[in-house]
Amino acid sequence: MTLLRATAHLVYSYQSGSFLSAVEQIGASRRVVTLSVAGAVAGIGWWLLRWWTGPGGSEVSTALWRDEGRLPLRRSLGSAVLSMVIVGMGASLGREAAPRLAGAALASRLSDWARIGTAHRRLLAACGAGAGMACVYNVPLGGALLTLEVMLGVVSLRLALPALATSAIATAVSWTVLPTGPTYQLPKATLSASLIGFAVLIGPLAGLAAVGWVRMMRIAHAHRPTGWRPLVSPLLVFTAVGALAIPYPQLLGNGKDIVQLTLGTQLTAPVLLALLVLKPIATAGSLGSGASGGLFTPTVATGALLGALAGHGWALAWPGPAAGFTVLGAAAVLAAAMQAPVAATVLMLELTRTIDALMVPLLLAVTGAMLVSRRFDTPSIYSVRLPTQ
């Protein structure tokens, strides 16, 4: 996180305030140039990393499900550093990929040193990945549930204890440096009949949106360039994203500022619609170019945009808390995209530090989204990145 912030502050020449404010203050041409440089860093950086480390992948999902929990340490840590740098420069990818990858790789190496068996190595690698997620977002319970529900695919007492312990320890250690407050500041949202009705509506819509989102990520990952093309593809794609950021600076970065803007109802309906279309395209393009990064916050941002946009129309007929509409959309899309309803629910509650008013409508929205996504047999955004056999 220190590397991420240092990169962003250096590249966008700001000392305080939000990342989006810094992006808006620089000129339009500089946005394009900055993203072009980020693309060059991504292309050259990952090409050199592959040349230096040799064959072998650095995907947490592949390691857990195909490689017995083994991750190459140099490749993984190098990829994590590059991921943080390009996200700090404005790439439309999530920041959580780096701590997840680093945590899993370190757990894998420590397991080898301790001569731990395959089953326990896989468990500890998953716990390391979940702990990395937990400490970056200050979501200890959500990180543990992500370990169980998404990475291991099963919730049991035997697995829950190490998952909870590692996430708790990682989060407690991170408090020495990182903020301890919620990731998103949520205006007070009171429970209302309007919110309940909206939850019933947004669930299926969010499920359909998640189906489209996951399929976009699958196509992007399947068409990642090979040979010499990874040197050039990030440069071209990132430059295009920089051009799109001239009218829509919110596209740059992982999407955290988009979520906060939607929670504060600071975006008009036309802007919400434009970002709902462009943000998935920018993220899919960045992933498909060969760059490595996370999908967690871009997924939350897509759901938040959908919830906020649908909430605009719903409020005309039945007024309700706008921030509540946004949270329901974000949670529902996240649950269906990760195929993890419990983890997604807890993550959104921890990210916003709210529970009383939104618990019942949130569960209704998540249930509706899951039913629709399962009807289309939609995999998780993490499992679609597994190599085909």
Side-chain angles (χ1 to χ4, degrees):
M1 291 303 298
T2 301
L3 175 62
L4 176 70
R5 291 172 180 168
T7 302
H9 286 213
L10 176 65
V11 170
Y12 291 96
S13 305
Y14 72 105
Q15 298 297 324
S16 60
S18 68
F19 175 79
L20 177 59
S21 298
V23 172
E24 291 174 334
Q25 289 173 5
I26 66 173
S29 60
R30 185 173 170 185
R31 295 176 197 170
V32 180
V33 171
T34 300
L35 265 293
S36 297
V37 174
V41 170
I44 297 172
W46 268 292
W47 187 86
L48 290 175
L49 184 63
R50 285 189 289 269
W51 172 80
W52 179 50
T53 59
S58 56
E59 286 283 351
V60 175
S61 300
T62 304
L64 293 177
W65 293 101
R66 299 282 176 85
D67 298 334
E68 301 179 339
R70 296 184 185 278
L71 275 163
L73 187 62
R74 288 189 303 171
R75 169 74 71 86
S76 299
L77 294 182
S79 185
V81 169
L82 282 172
S83 177
M84 276 300 192
V85 169
I86 65 167
V87 172
M89 297 181 74
S92 183
L93 292 166
R95 67 185 185 184
E96 86 286 349
R100 285 178 63 247
L101 183 56
L106 289 170
S108 175
R109 175 56 60 89
L110 290 171
S111 298
D112 288 339
W113 284 346
R115 298 181 180 179
I116 292 176
T118 298
H120 285 155
R121 184 196 306 111
R122 180 172 173 266
L123 169 61
L124 291 177
C127 288
M133 176 81 172
C135 64
V136 167
Y137 289 99
N138 194 23
V139 288
L141 183 54
L145 289 172
L146 193 77
T147 298
L148 299 170
E149 201 171 12
V150 175
M151 298 178 198
L152 295 174
V154 62
V155 179
S156 70
L157 181 61
R158 182 179 68 87
L159 302 179
L161 293 178
L164 290 168
T166 49
S167 288
I169 293 168
T171 304
V173 171
S174 74
W175 288 340
T176 61
V177 178
L178 302 181
T180 59
T183 300
Y184 301 113
Q185 302 297 324
L186 179 66
K188 185 174 179 59
T190 57
L191 181 62
S192 65
S194 172
L195 204 57
I196 297 289
F198 181 79
V200 176
L201 168 71
I202 197 61
L205 291 177
L208 290 174
V211 171
W213 171 259
V214 172
R215 289 181 178 179
M216 284 184 68
M217 297 308 122
R218 170 190 277 167
I219 293 171
H221 194 266
H223 291 83
R224 287 163 71 90
T226 57
W228 58 269
R229 293 179 182 84
L231 277 169
V232 180
S233 296
L235 174 62
L236 299 177
V237 172
F238 281 36
T239 301
V241 173
L244 290 174
I246 295 176
Y248 298 106
Q250 302 90 344
L251 289 175
L252 299 189
N254 63 352
K256 178 183 176 182
D257 289 311
I258 288 180
V259 178
Q260 191 59 60
L261 289 173
T262 55
L263 288 171
T265 63
Q266 300 177 49
L267 298 176
T268 62
V271 175
L272 288 170
L273 179 59
L275 292 177
L276 182 59
V277 174
L278 294 176
K279 184 61 176 177
I281 293 175
T283 301
S286 299
L287 181 67
S289 72
S292 178
L295 295 176
F296 176 76
T297 301
T299 303
V300 174
T302 300
L305 289 166
L306 176 66
L309 184 61
H312 267 272
W314 182 265
L316 296 176
W318 198 351
F325 298 152
T326 298
V327 173
L328 295 187
V333 171
L334 181 65
M338 294 197 310
Q339 290 297 296
V342 179
T345 299
V346 172
L347 282 167
M348 286 308 303
L349 293 176
E350 284 189 306
L351 288 170
T352 59
R353 300 291 171 84
T354 182
I355 184 169
D356 293 340
L358 296 180
M359 177 59 85
V360 171
L362 194 150
L363 290 174
L364 288 174
V366 166
T367 300
M370 288 298 301
L371 288 173
V372 171
S373 67
R374 295 308 302 159
R375 177 66 181 82
F376 287 91
D377 196 25
T378 304
S380 164
I381 52 174
Y382 298 110
S383 63
V384 297
R385 299 169 77 168
L386 290 170
T388 57
Q389 287 186 340

